[in-house]
Amino acid sequence: MATTHLSWTLHRPSHSHPSDRRPQRIPRRQRSPITRAVSRPLTPTDLSMTRTLCAHIDSGRLDDALQVFDKMSQPDTFAWNVIIRGLTNAGLYDEAIEFYHQMECLGVRADNFTYPLVIKCCAESGAMLEGLRVHSKAIKTRLISDVYACNALIAMYGKLGSVGCAEKVFDEMPVRDLVSWNSMISVFVSVGDGRRSLLWFREMWAERGETDRLGIVGALAGCSLVNCGKLGKEIHCHVIRFGFESDVMVQTSLINMYGKCRNVGFAERLFNGMFGRSVAAWNAMIGGYVLNEKTVEAFHCWRKMQEVDNLDPVVVTMVNLVPACSQLKDLLLGKSIHGAAIRKGFLPHMILETALVDMYGKCGKWELAESIFGQMVDRSVTTWNAMLAAYVQNGCHWKALNMFRDLFYQSLRPDAFTISIILPSYAEVASLREGRQVQSYIIKSDIGFNTCISNAIVYMYATCGDIKTARRIFDAMKLKDVVSWNTIIMGYAIHGCGRIAVDLFVAMQEEGIKPNASTFFSLLSSCSISGMIEEGWRYFNSMKQEYGIDPGIEHYSCMVDLLGRTGNLYLVKNFIWKMPLVPTAKIWGSLLRASRNNGNIEFAELAAEQIFSLGHDNTGCYVLLSNMYAELGRWDDVERIRCQMQNEGLTKAFKQSRVELSSRTCSFVNGDTSYIETPMIYDALDIIYAQIGESIYNPSASKFIPIDVLKKRASLPSTHSVRLALCLGLISSSVGTPIHIRKNARICESCHHVLKKTSLVTKREIIIGDSKIFHHFKDGKCCCGDYW
């Protein structure tokens, strides 16, 4: 009995690009219902058509195969398997699954060749539910004991991220072959668990005493994931012992492993000794160079790939080269790679686009990163992380926070990297309340507190002014790396607790953690902020002598700050001139601050002149110099500075202070009257002035200030934004609780004096984070020692 005619013919598109040569997907609506076939022996005609069907499938002519299949009166299981195999090989996984369902509807029984094909299609199309159904069907038909079907199930569950199901299938297999073990190793590699993949490789070796090229490739990938070069060398010995050293796939995996394990020299030796190097081998070598920050060698390798071996770059080549542009901060080169990817038709491609977003973000062009992100069709969590990082790295913290909130409306979920990226933004905007909410989300979700996240939380609390909570979380960490210690040391540094920071440095060494350049920057910052001159010199000298670390410009900047505390500005100037590095605007800015603190206008003018010559964004320099001229009564110079700022298009920073309450964050400007609590705020301010015995206006400027300027300024110090924020915090919080305020500029001397007295009369700790450090006012004293 003949079946109803089926319109399964696929029309090959006329495009010449290789990616366009796949058959088009078969629209569901074009398929006619199939009547149930009557079982009967195959006719000679059917046998002939089956042979023709196989020939078409083997030669890749799927359109012709479907036409032959359409004419078969009653295709058997073998014919169905052949056509399903052809659809699978063509990448038409959904169509292959539908053919399997139609095969079942006809009553044609699937066999041990059908299920591996259909299971593979479920894995490739991400159809987890469909895969579970096929698994159940295989159990019912008692084909689950077939080793090929079980291997396909392991591969499917691994690809879909269900490691537990893959392990269960493996454990219940009556017979296992090398493919079974290799599949389990690949499962753990695919989910990024290199440690367990290596354990499975070791168990396979103990049980079978053998392996093959795929097992070695999987084990080398596991070594790459856990950065275990020593074990990688042991596996390399097995490669030589069993004669796999000439296998191109194994050689490429070895090059990849050595590159990722930071042993690029071994990778080069292997690569140079290869015969018939493939594109994958060149990509592995380029990726190894980039990972080890050998960007020049990476681009040289790219050129040789095209000129020596006459090989064209592929998408993976571009994905490897884009981070090299990030390392060089070479925007023009990055745009060139981007243009080449467009010309070669590599875009859209999610991984490459994600790399471009990351590159533009690191090159300071978050607008270009945002443009690529907005045009992407598919986005992974990694893509979102790259865009978030682009915002954070370029100071667009509010954009980052808004985007993080948008992520919760997507089908994706934040991962550990998302949290570690976004937490510093909460620190930068001083949103301690929302930062705590993110910490609560981490606890409730299954993300877990790994070292990376814990470091970000410590940083967030320290930078938001809650150093006690930061220390509590640090002490509770099970595994601390050098970043953990650097973060907590810097936390105590910006809070003026230099002695505690030094004690932590000693404890870090006792724990066997080797300090790096960032450690010494945190340590020297602690000594500088706390005025620990002798300790600062000792640690600075020990960098090269004891640890082999060359001081960078940031370390010299800390030393200039530290020397400025001695009041000997000639010593500071001589130190700057004798530096082996070219002084930056930050170095001269340190001398400028030291000159301001010591009231030396000559050295302030010298430092300002150097800053102006560097063409740096010098708004703060103009303002500080203008204030010093005003304090000396040099009003002609004040006017000159003001005119220079106007000519350069510079404006004085808009100063604000933010106080965080239990349910909201309030921002104030000088003389602010925008809040409903304004009458209570000013009443509280009057009460504080009365209790501390201060007049409403106590200017620190010179008596030579012109009378009109004096009148203009008369009301300003008493209503500075930080004082208004303090009063709202006092009337809106419980007695005895600390007040946390953030200010986007340096706190003035007048407010600093008032806040010290206020902490004494209110018996409250007042924590003010300005543009430089956190001031902890308690019992009439400040942690900065009145030098900041």
Side-chain angles (χ1 to χ4, degrees):
M1 176 177 156
T3 60
T4 306
H5 180 74
L6 301 176
S7 299
W8 284 341
T9 303
L10 301 182
H11 301 286
R12 191 179 304 278
S14 59
H15 305 294
S16 61
H17 194 277
S19 62
D20 295 328
R21 291 175 186 165
R22 289 197 330 175
Q24 295 175 345
R25 292 192 180 277
I26 307 168
R28 186 182 297 271
R29 63 179 179 275
Q30 293 181 5
R31 303 176 190 170
S32 305
I34 302 175
T35 59
R36 187 175 182 81
V38 179
S39 177
R40 66 174 178 78
L42 290 176
T43 65
T45 303
D46 288 334
L47 289 171
S48 175
M49 295 178 76
T50 300
R51 293 191 193 99
T52 305
L53 180 68
C54 290
H56 287 323
I57 291 297
D58 291 340
S59 60
R61 297 193 299 270
L62 183 57
D63 289 342
D64 297 333
L66 285 167
Q67 289 180 8
V68 172
F69 188 79
D70 190 22
K71 295 175 183 178
M72 294 179 72
S73 59
Q74 188 179 341
D76 62 354
T77 301
F78 179 78
W80 282 95
N81 288 347
V82 170
I83 202 68
I84 290 173
R85 175 167 62 87
L87 290 166
T88 303
N89 293 341
L92 300 172
Y93 306 115
D94 293 334
E95 283 74 7
I97 294 170
E98 186 167 340
F99 265 70
Y100 162 72
H101 288 311
Q102 292 178 355
M103 173 184 176
E104 284 191 317
C105 291
L106 281 170
V108 181
R109 186 171 182 177
D111 60 12
N112 57 339
F113 293 103
T114 313
Y115 286 114
L117 289 170
V118 179
I119 291 167
K120 178 183 177 181
C121 291
C122 295
E124 295 296 336
S125 62
M128 182 68 171
L129 184 59
E130 194 64 49
L132 290 170
R133 289 172 181 164
V134 176
H135 189 175
S136 300
K137 186 70 174 179
I139 294 173
K140 291 177 182 177
T141 55
R142 299 186 179 181
L143 288 173
I144 193 60
S145 60
D146 181 77
V147 68
Y148 299 107
C150 290
N151 289 343
L153 283 168
I154 292 171
M156 178 193 74
Y157 285 126
K159 191 173 184 67
L160 299 178
S162 184
V163 178
C165 292
E167 284 188 287
K168 187 175 181 181
V169 171
F170 182 88
D171 292 337
E172 294 176 353
M173 289 178 69
V175 178
R176 305 178 186 118
D177 59 6
L178 273 175
V179 177
S180 311
W181 287 94
N182 293 343
S183 298
M184 282 307 304
I185 294 169
S186 298
V187 164
F188 289 105
V189 169
S190 65
V191 297
D193 194 341
R195 186 185 66 84
R196 294 187 69 184
S197 71
L198 292 172
L199 290 175
W200 276 85
F201 178 77
R202 186 165 289 175
E203 189 176 341
M204 177 187 73
W205 186 261
E207 183 172 310
R208 300 184 62 92
E210 62 174 341
T211 185
D212 61 5
R213 64 201 290 259
L214 294 178
I216 288 174
V217 168
L220 289 172
C223 294
S224 301
L225 288 170
V226 297
N227 195 19
C228 187
K230 184 178 180 181
L231 184 56
K233 289 180 180 178
E234 293 180 18
I235 296 173
H236 192 175
C237 293
H238 287 300
V239 168
I240 298 171
R241 187 178 303 138
F242 291 103
F244 292 122
E245 68 270 20
S246 60
D247 188 286
V248 175
M249 181 186 291
V250 174
Q251 287 178 316
T252 302
S253 298
L254 282 167
I255 292 169
N256 182 63
M257 181 273 296
Y258 281 124
K260 290 183 176 177
C261 292
R262 308 289 179 176
N263 201 334
V264 73
F266 276 101
E268 281 180 325
R269 232 172 293 170
L270 276 169
F271 181 78
N272 292 331
M274 285 183 70
F275 294 98
R277 290 174 293 210
S278 64
V279 174
W282 283 97
N283 288 338
M285 196 66 245
I286 292 170
Y289 280 133
V290 173
L291 193 64
N292 290 272
E293 298 184 354
K294 293 179 176 289
T295 52
V296 175
E297 290 86 345
F299 282 103
H300 182 63
C301 193
W302 178 41
R303 286 194 299 271
K304 286 180 64 179
M305 169 185 175
Q306 300 171 80
E307 296 170 358
V308 177
D309 282 4
N310 199 28
L311 294 172
D312 290 328
V314 295
V315 173
V316 177
T317 315
M318 298 300 181
V319 171
N320 286 336
L321 286 172
V322 169
C325 304
S326 305
Q327 293 173 10
L328 293 170
K329 295 290 189 294
D330 193 330
L331 181 62
L332 182 59
L333 184 59
K335 287 182 176 180
S336 300
I337 299 295
H338 188 181
I342 294 172
R343 288 192 300 274
K344 291 181 178 294
F346 293 153
L347 297 174
H349 187 280
M350 186 176 67
I351 298 175
L352 178 55
E353 288 171 311
T354 301
L356 288 168
V357 169
D358 181 71
M359 182 271 293
Y360 281 124
K362 289 179 178 175
C363 288
K365 294 295 182 180
W366 62 266
E367 301 93 339
L368 294 176
E370 189 178 59
S371 176
I372 295 174
F373 181 84
Q375 295 172 10
M376 289 180 68
V377 178
D378 298 315
R379 302 178 187 132
S380 64
V381 175
T382 306
T383 311
W384 284 81
N385 291 347
M387 192 64 240
L388 285 169
Y391 283 139
V392 173
Q393 290 161 0
N394 291 279
C396 305
H397 299 290
W398 287 112
K399 282 183 175 288
L401 295 176
N402 291 332
M403 186 179 180
F404 178 63
R405 297 185 188 103
D406 291 341
L407 179 56
F408 286 91
Y409 296 100
Q410 309 296 320
S411 58
L412 304 169
R413 293 186 61 191
D415 61 10
F417 291 104
T418 317
I419 301 300
S420 63
I421 290 168
I422 201 63
L423 278 172
S425 285
Y426 286 106
E428 292 299 327
V429 301
S431 185
L432 187 59
R433 183 183 67 257
E434 292 192 24
R436 287 174 178 148
Q437 291 175 358
V438 175
Q439 185 186 6
S440 300
Y441 169 78
I442 298 169
I443 295 171
K444 293 176 182 177
S445 66
D446 58 354
I447 293 176
F449 282 90
N450 60 27
T451 302
C452 183
I453 287 181
S454 297
N455 290 343
I457 293 175
V458 170
Y459 175 83
M460 184 269 295
Y461 277 112
T463 314
C464 283
D466 193 351
I467 190 64
K468 294 179 182 177
T469 303
R471 179 60 184 271
R472 189 177 70 249
I473 294 171
F474 173 82
D475 290 339
M477 290 175 63
K478 294 180 180 179
L479 181 63
K480 303 182 182 76
D481 58 11
V482 66
V483 178
S484 312
W485 290 93
N486 292 350
T487 303
I488 194 65
I489 291 172
M490 180 55 79
Y492 276 109
I494 62 176
H495 284 267
C497 304
R499 182 55 58 189
I500 298 176
V502 169
D503 292 341
L504 282 167
F505 177 72
V506 174
M508 170 186 176
Q509 293 177 298
E510 291 174 351
E511 291 289 329
I513 304 295
K514 186 178 179 180
N516 57 18
S518 297
T519 312
F520 281 99
F521 174 63
S522 300
L523 187 62
L524 292 175
S525 296
S526 303
C527 296
S528 170
I529 293 171
S530 300
M532 300 165 62
I533 298 171
E534 293 182 5
E535 292 88 344
W537 269 116
R538 185 171 72 249
Y539 289 125
F540 179 78
N541 292 329
S542 70
M543 287 182 64
K544 184 66 176 178
Q545 296 172 1
E546 298 180 24
Y547 301 96
I549 300 173
D550 292 319
I553 198 70
E554 67 277 9
H555 304 104
Y556 282 101
S557 178
C558 291
M559 291 306 296
V560 172
D561 274 333
L562 184 65
L563 294 175
R565 284 182 169 269
T566 64
N568 189 342
L569 300 183
Y570 288 98
L571 177 64
V572 179
K573 186 183 72 171
N574 291 335
F575 180 82
I576 293 174
W577 289 128
K578 292 179 181 179
M579 280 172 48
L581 303 174
V582 177
T584 62
K586 188 174 181 180
I587 294 289
W588 292 111
S590 298
L591 176 59
L592 181 61
R593 285 191 299 273
S595 303
R596 187 264 301 167
N597 288 326
N598 290 278
N600 192 314
I601 192 62
E602 294 179 5
F603 277 94
E605 289 175 331
L606 169 65
E609 181 181 351
Q610 296 294 329
I611 295 173
F612 296 152
S613 67
L614 292 171
H616 192 262
D617 181 13
N618 45 34
T619 304
C621 174
Y622 277 119
V623 172
L624 196 151
L625 192 61
S626 175
N627 290 341
M628 290 187 70
Y629 283 139
E631 290 174 0
L632 294 172
R634 293 170 57 174
W635 297 103
D636 291 339
D637 289 320
V638 172
E639 183 63 21
R640 177 174 55 83
I641 293 293
R642 188 184 66 82
C643 292
Q644 288 180 4
M645 289 183 67
Q646 288 180 347
N647 293 336
E648 293 188 22
L650 301 176
T651 56
K652 194 173 180 179
F654 188 71
K655 297 180 181 179
Q656 12 176 227
S657 300
R658 296 193 305 272
V659 59
E660 191 159 14
L661 308 178
S662 59
S663 60
R664 58 179 175 148
T665 301
C666 299
S667 297
F668 288 87
V669 295
N670 290 351
D672 204 322
T673 58
S674 60
Y675 289 94
I676 193 172
E677 298 95 344
T678 294
M680 297 175 63
I681 291 171
Y682 280 88
D683 287 345
L685 195 57
D686 290 338
I687 293 172
I688 288 173
Y689 287 146
Q691 288 184 339
I692 65 177
E694 290 284 325
S695 61
I696 292 179
Y697 175 61
N698 185 21
S700 59
S702 169
K703 61 182 180 180
F704 299 107
I705 296 179
I707 189 64
D708 56 334
V709 177
L710 190 61
K711 289 179 178 178
K712 185 178 179 181
R713 285 185 162 189
S715 61
L716 292 182
S718 62
T719 57
H720 275 184
S721 60
V722 69
R723 305 188 192 192
L724 301 178
L726 169 65
C727 290
L728 181 60
L730 289 171
I731 63 178
S732 304
S733 59
S734 303
V735 175
T737 58
I739 307 295
H740 289 268
I741 299 173
R742 285 296 297 271
K743 183 177 174 63
N744 66 345
R746 175 182 173 270
I747 187 173
C748 72
E749 294 182 23
S750 176
C751 288
H752 193 272
H753 175 73
V754 167
L755 289 171
K756 284 198 300 182
K757 289 192 171 184
T758 304
S759 68
L760 180 63
V761 300
T762 60
K763 307 297 183 184
R764 303 277 285 271
E765 182 180 9
I766 304 168
I767 303 169
I768 310 290
D770 67 7
S771 57
K772 184 172 176 61
I773 65 168
F774 280 90
H775 300 262
H776 288 250
F777 299 97
K778 190 174 182 180
D779 299 328
K781 298 179 181 179
C782 180
C783 66
C784 72
D786 297 339
Y787 188 101
W788 72 100

